[in-house]
Amino acid sequence: MITPAFDLSQDPDYLTICIRVPYTRTSEFDLFIDGADFKFYAKPYFLRLSLPGRIVEDGTEKATFDIDKGVFTLKAPKETRGEHFGGLQMLTSLLAPKGSRSAKLLVEDMSAETGSETTGDGEEEEDEEEFDWQLEQEVYTDRSEEKLGTMQKYGFANQRSGVFGRLQEELSDVIDVKNPEETLASERRRARLEAEALAFSSDHYLADLFEDDEINRLVKFTPWWSKLSPSTEQKGESAVSFSDEEKEQLRKFTNRSFLLDKTSRCQAWLSLLDILLAYSYEVRSAEGEHNVESPWTIRKLSGTLCWLETYSCLRDVLVSFGRRVLCYPLYRHFALVALSVCDTAKILQSGKACVLKCLLDIHKVFRENDPAYILNDLYITDYCIWIQRVSSKKMLELASMLQHTLLQKKDLELELDELESAARIVVEEEEQASTESSSSDSSSESEESEAEEQGCSDSKQGGGETCKDSPSEPSSSPSSPIPVLSSIALSPSVNRKAGVESSDSQGHRQLIQDLGRQMTEEMRISADSCSFGAGEMLFADE
């Protein structure tokens, strides 16, 4: 049998179920309604749903079939008019779990023993005692190999093992742990911290700190979850819509329950937070458009996905994420760490539907990347199923704790404050040196200008013209002798061009020629550097 595509909606009095069943006969429809249990059969399609509320057959129900679109629509009345059915978007949780051939339950979920029960909205209500997200309940210690078995646990809520033993070729492209099957959790954490310390680049960090044009652009970006408005139907849940592709993926998931103890539930929540932080950063850094680097960015910034990390408190998650943001991606700025934390808190506050949409987006990113799809099997698929049944109250508690947890630069243990202080001192010294150099240059120029003005004033007193107004005239000031010597060196040619034929000046010309040749040899002054007007003025004075 084929599970058809379906969708649900509601108004105060009716529940509408739309089922897509192309290429079937209208005469073969079978319906069964029994409170919260709904069954539909139209060969070769079969659908069974566990509804979050009860519906009845009272004669007001209405069924239609659109032959062109192949869509069967049932509008069934609610048993309690005006009741709101929660979780209609959680399509996976609505699919009834697969039954057993035995009437005896092989595993019985006892609320008295497991501390959880299912509410009318399809949520698995956990124990109501205060859950401490901030402080560790007990110090983590590695158990003996006899208790752990031959392989270490990882994956969603530490439920998997032996996976990477069959995937040695893809191992290095997905995670950074060399031998996950035999590496203890404490050893994985120590190796992660050492790798982060080696990867941290002070030059890259300071470049993003002082040249922050790109960072400022990312800070101003508004992600899609910031635009969500609270739903008018249910307080505490935002109006999140799923695309047809996302709905199809939800229908493909196999619905199942997860029997987790208190420790496993805590680790599942903290790892979910770690993954959402990495996703929030990736969306902001890519400005909402995924690219070829998106799978790498998400898994690299998440210690859960990259190092199979298991966290024991909320602060450990934030410190790990902050360190990895400043060590690996293109943009490494502490402001992006703080914004990612705020974005993740907003996602959690927006309800299960918003978190599920983020997880489905991550699932798609990994699904389209080889071999990152392995992380879907280990974590994301189980999270997409599990999140549909968790308590919304726990999600809001986690969001509140996240907002009230202060993360400072010193918590990352990368000596950021000392590095920034040293860099600012260097910048101030360079600016001061540049200022002093500019002041010195200005003083030198002022002194030269005063000297030139003094020389011109002396020339005026001797009956000459002002130097500024006659740039072609030779200066009689002893401070600039080269133009005068150049004019003397060129005086014979200038004299011929000027047409001076007086016999009284022949002796003067010979003397000047000899003097010119002597000065040219000693100072190697090119004859081309002189001006015709200078030589002409000199002989006119003679």
Side-chain angles (χ1 to χ4, degrees), residues 208-249:
D208 284 354
L209 181 65
F210 290 100
E211 300 176 4
D212 56 356
D213 291 341
E214 292 290 329
I215 304 299
N216 291 333
R217 191 187 77 250
L218 299 180
V219 168
K220 297 177 182 178
F221 175 75
T222 303
W224 60 265
W225 52 80
S226 298
K227 305 174 183 177
L228 294 178
S229 57
S231 172
T232 57
E233 296 180 349
Q234 185 177 4
K235 186 177 180 180
E237 290 284 335
S238 294
V240 177
S241 60
F242 293 94
S243 65
D244 293 338
E245 182 181 3
E246 291 169 337
K247 293 177 181 178
E248 178 64 24
Q249 185 59 56

Side-chain angles (χ1 to χ4, degrees), residues 373-436:
Y373 66 87
I374 299 171
L375 298 175
N376 281 342
D377 297 337
L378 287 175
Y379 292 97
I380 309 303
T381 298
D382 289 343
Y383 270 117
C384 289
I385 300 171
W386 176 72
I387 201 64
Q388 299 182 52
R389 290 183 175 270
V390 301
S391 170
S392 298
K393 180 180 178 181
K394 298 300 181 185
M395 192 173 296
L396 294 177
E397 289 178 0
L398 179 58
S400 177
M401 290 300 303
L402 185 60
Q403 288 179 319
H404 291 86
T405 301
L406 179 63
L407 181 66
Q408 299 179 341
K409 292 181 179 180
K410 63 181 180 180
D411 298 330
L412 306 184
E413 298 182 356
L414 295 174
E415 299 182 352
L416 301 180
D417 292 329
E418 295 82 353
L419 183 63
E420 293 179 18
S421 298
R424 287 191 175 94
I425 291 175
V426 172
V427 170
E428 291 175 359
E429 290 178 350
E430 291 179 351
E431 291 178 350
Q432 183 177 1
S434 176
T435 302
E436 293 177 353

Side-chain angles (χ1 to χ4, degrees), residues 137-188:
Q137 301 301 299
E138 60 182 5
V139 178
Y140 178 82
T141 57
D142 289 314
R143 300 178 182 178
S144 62
E145 293 186 0
E146 291 77 10
K147 294 181 179 180
L148 290 174
T150 58
M151 295 184 181
Q152 297 298 308
K153 301 290 185 180
Y154 44 80
F156 172 77
N158 282 343
Q159 301 291 305
R160 307 291 293 275
S161 64
V163 176
F164 288 104
R166 306 187 300 269
L167 301 170
Q168 292 298 325
E169 293 181 359
E170 294 86 353
L171 178 62
S172 59
D173 295 330
V174 180
I175 62 175
D176 290 347
V177 185
K178 300 302 181 183
N179 188 6
E181 311 296 351
E182 299 179 2
T183 305
L184 299 177
S186 60
E187 295 176 352
R188 293 200 295 262

Side-chain angles (χ1 to χ4, degrees), residues 296-336:
W296 180 90
T297 302
I298 295 174
R299 71 170 185 83
K300 197 69 175 181
L301 297 186
S302 169
T304 299
L305 301 178
C306 195
W307 283 91
L308 309 178
E309 182 69 87
T310 53
Y311 299 100
S312 55
C313 66
L314 187 144
R315 180 167 291 277
D316 285 349
V317 177
L318 297 181
V319 171
S320 172
F321 171 71
R323 287 171 60 90
R324 300 188 73 77
V325 167
L326 300 185
C327 290
Y328 295 106
L330 176 61
Y331 304 110
R332 307 177 188 180
H333 200 285
F334 191 78
L336 297 180

Side-chain angles (χ1 to χ4, degrees), residues 246 272 274-280 282-283 290 294-295 298-299 302 305 347 355-369 372-373 375-376 379-381 383-384:
E246 291 169 337
L272 173 64
D274 181 50
I275 294 171
L276 290 178
L277 286 168
Y279 173 75
S280 299
E282 194 281 328
V283 171
H290 295 310
S294 297
I298 295 174
R299 71 170 185 83
S302 169
L305 301 178
I347 292 173
V355 175
L356 178 59
K357 189 174 182 67
C358 294
L359 291 171
L360 289 173
D361 197 15
I362 298 172
H363 192 279
K364 180 182 178 181
V365 170
F366 287 163
R367 189 171 67 245
E368 297 174 349
N369 180 264
Y373 66 87
L375 298 175
N376 281 342
Y379 292 97
I380 309 303
T381 298
Y383 270 117
C384 289

